[in-house]
Amino acid sequence: MEKKVSSLLQKMDNILVPKLAKVLPTLRSVKTISSVGKFDALKFFAKLGQSLRRPRNPVRREYRQLSDWQRRKFHRAVQKLQETGSYRKFVEYHSVTMALYAHFGAAFLPWHREFLHRFEQALREIDPTVSIPYFDSSLDIGLPEPRDSIMWTEDFMGNGNGTVLTGPFKKWTVPVDIFDEFDTQLGQTLVRQIGVDSDFGKHISLEDIRQIMMGRQFRDLVWLPNPTIEGVHNRVHVWIGGHMNSLGASPSDPVFFLHHGFIDCLWEEFRAKQIKHGIDVTTDYITNLEELGDIGHHQNATMLPFVDRKNIDGLSLKYSKFYKCAPRPRCSKWWPTCSSRYLFCDTRDAKNIRCLSKIRPGGNCKGLEKIAGACKWGHRCQNGVCVKYRKPTYRPRHRG
């Protein structure tokens, strides 16, 4: 018996290890873990585990396309930043006294790209496999009631009506000591007021995205007289409300980073189109001083408070080495799935088949009764409301 086991281990050493070494370059020296011709399984798989955990360039996916495991890892990393006090640092970076030229001008996009990059690097110091997901709010705009999106449930961002008391960020404390007087009125615990301001607060629509992608140059996105990407982005801040509706306090809500992750991915999608047209995206900045909004938005101005960066640095291609953006969720008549158990394919309009967010239990699903999977897993749309699905019990036929 011992000879058979020894022979098997020897075969693993001679066959399995070289093959794995070809697939995983970091294991090319794995032969060194063998001793006296025998395969040391414990050392081998320890080495294998280290290789698999090696940091890779993260892919930013839509929040609801993450697996439950990926989503929980992201939540834990953000919670860890809060526990160590590091999260506060990022709220301070975005304050009106430190981020002097992060808004209302050409530096808006590059500044927030650098800001997200630093936040993501902080997360990856905690868990190298974590990346910032993005919140594509256009997935909610086609629902009967966007406030009933699964986004605002316990497994995701938590409740959106008042103080956040459910979800991974329940009873989330905010650094009120660095807020101005208006923001301190919201209190020390995270607050949201989703959908309260419906006049100006809105989600990003497919038409908004189409208008953004029609531009050809960077100035088409940020020059103030145009309907800029910053203006479109502002409406989502207002729709979520609470701390998100404050310029200085908005990063207190972790959904801030998901929302800006989407804005950044839209910009990257725009830049990919520019590259196809032969435009140098690393130098495509506004040069007309009258269009900048303020001298602090000049391409060579310091990207405060990041004193080691200039605004033009935010256009560098180096960021693509640190992350990629996954495509926005899509579906079709022939592929009626959105690669997520938390999204569904709305096929009501044959000319506008698209992915939408699933609806929370008890939420409004009027008009979606015939669409499979519109409600959260384990629920179905019945009489315009998402109710728990109960399989009919089988009753054997009585034979007399």
Side-chain angles (χ1 to χ4, degrees):
M1 183 66 181
E2 291 181 0
K3 290 183 178 180
K4 289 183 179 181
V5 172
S6 178
S7 176
L8 178 60
L9 291 175
Q10 186 65 44
K11 288 181 180 179
M12 290 176 66
D13 195 19
N14 294 333
I15 299 174
L16 179 61
V17 175
K19 287 185 177 181
L20 282 172
K22 291 180 181 180
V23 179
L24 300 171
T26 57
L27 292 180
R28 288 191 186 280
S29 62
V30 77
K31 271 287 199 178
T32 59
I33 68 174
S34 298
S35 58
V36 198
K38 293 184 179 181
F39 180 73
D40 192 330
L42 289 177
K43 289 185 178 180
F44 170 75
F45 287 108
K47 187 82 173 180
L48 177 61
Q50 291 174 5
S51 176
L52 293 177
R53 284 185 59 82
R54 183 164 53 94
R56 293 172 172 81
N57 291 346
V59 177
R60 295 179 180 175
R61 294 182 172 84
E62 211 288 325
Y63 184 49
R64 287 154 289 194
Q65 283 190 317
L66 298 180
S67 67
D68 293 342
W69 176 63
Q70 290 171 326
R71 193 174 64 254
R72 286 193 290 267
K73 287 202 305 176
F74 170 71
H75 293 164
R76 284 196 294 268
V78 177
Q79 290 165 349
K80 190 66 175 179
L81 280 183
Q82 175 81 323
E83 292 169 6
T84 59
S86 298
Y87 191 94
R88 172 194 172 94
K89 175 179 67 176
F90 291 96
V91 181
E92 289 181 307
Y93 282 159
H94 196 268
S95 65
V96 293
T97 56
M98 295 187 72
L100 297 177
Y101 302 106
H103 303 90
F104 313 119
F108 169 74
L109 287 171
W111 190 96
H112 283 86
R113 171 160 288 192
E114 176 64 22
F115 184 52
L116 289 179
H117 170 64
R118 295 186 181 226
F119 184 75
E120 189 166 63
Q121 291 303 105
L123 293 177
R124 286 169 65 77
E125 288 179 7
I126 296 169
D127 186 337
T129 65
V130 165
S131 60
I132 300 174
Y134 64 82
F135 168 41
D136 181 354
S137 57
S138 71
L139 299 175
D140 295 4
I141 206 169
L143 299 178
E145 176 50 78
R147 288 179 293 185
D148 288 335
S149 166
I150 202 170
M151 182 75 179
W152 311 110
T153 59
E154 186 169 1
D155 292 334
F156 290 83
M157 279 287 116
N159 65 284
N161 55 335
T163 302
V164 178
L165 299 175
T166 65
F169 310 114
K170 61 184 178 183
K171 299 180 181 179
W172 189 259
T173 56
V174 298
V176 293
D177 55 302
I178 63 175
F179 296 165
D180 58 30
E181 184 178 354
F182 173 78
D183 295 332
T184 57
Q185 296 176 10
L186 293 170
Q188 297 183 350
T189 308
L190 181 61
V191 172
R192 299 185 186 124
Q193 297 167 335
I194 60 172
V196 172
D197 188 343
S198 57
D199 293 330
F200 184 73
K202 291 179 175 63
H203 287 316
I204 297 173
S205 68
L206 294 179
E207 178 59 23
D208 291 330
I209 296 174
R210 190 184 71 83
Q211 290 288 341
I212 289 170
M213 296 304 162
M214 283 178 63
R216 287 186 60 86
Q217 293 181 302
F218 180 75
R219 70 183 296 277
D220 297 328
L221 300 182
V222 297
W223 189 28
L224 292 176
N226 293 334
T228 66
I229 194 170
E230 184 175 3
V232 170
H233 128 279
N234 287 342
R235 300 201 307 256
V236 180
H237 275 273
V238 176
W239 188 87
I240 295 174
H243 285 95
M244 269 288 279
N245 194 19
S246 164
L247 187 65
S250 53
S252 300
D253 191 337
V255 78
F256 169 96
F257 296 97
L258 279 66
H259 171 48
H260 274 271
F262 184 51
I263 298 299
D264 189 74
C265 283
L266 287 179
W267 183 30
E268 191 61 18
E269 186 177 336
F270 178 86
R271 280 159 58 92
K273 189 190 71 169
Q274 286 185 297
I275 292 173
K276 287 182 179 180
H277 287 90
I279 298 174
D280 184 356
V281 295
T282 64
T283 60
D284 180 36
Y285 200 85
I286 291 180
T287 55
N288 188 334
L289 295 179
E290 295 181 358
E291 297 180 4
L292 285 174
D294 194 290
I295 194 62
H297 289 276
H298 190 275
Q299 62 180 2
N300 291 321
T302 302
M303 190 187 285
L304 296 174
F306 313 126
V307 295
D308 58 338
R309 293 286 185 272
K310 295 180 180 180
N311 290 329
I312 191 67
D313 293 335
L315 275 64
S316 171
L317 292 175
K318 72 170 187 178
Y319 293 95
S320 61
K321 297 179 181 179
F322 297 105
Y323 70 92
K324 303 289 184 183
C325 290
R328 288 178 277 125
R330 291 182 174 88
C331 63
S332 67
K333 177 181 178 181
W334 311 110
W335 188 256
T337 177
C338 300
S339 303
S340 171
R341 61 185 297 192
Y342 301 110
L343 301 173
F344 73 95
C345 188
D346 182 9
T347 56
R348 289 174 295 178
D349 184 354
K351 296 182 179 179
N352 187 29
I353 296 176
R354 53 175 301 205
C355 292
L356 292 178
S357 173
K358 289 204 174 188
I359 301 170
R360 67 172 180 83
N364 181 354
C365 59
K366 188 175 181 180
L368 295 169
E369 287 85 353
K370 296 182 179 180
I371 303 297
C375 298
K376 183 185 177 182
W377 191 268
H379 296 72
R380 65 177 178 180
C381 186
Q382 184 174 319
N383 299 324
V385 179
C386 286
V387 297
K388 192 169 184 178
Y389 176 70
R390 296 181 180 178
K391 294 182 179 180
T393 56
Y394 173 70
R395 295 182 180 180
R397 191 173 179 182
H398 177 70
R399 295 180 180 180

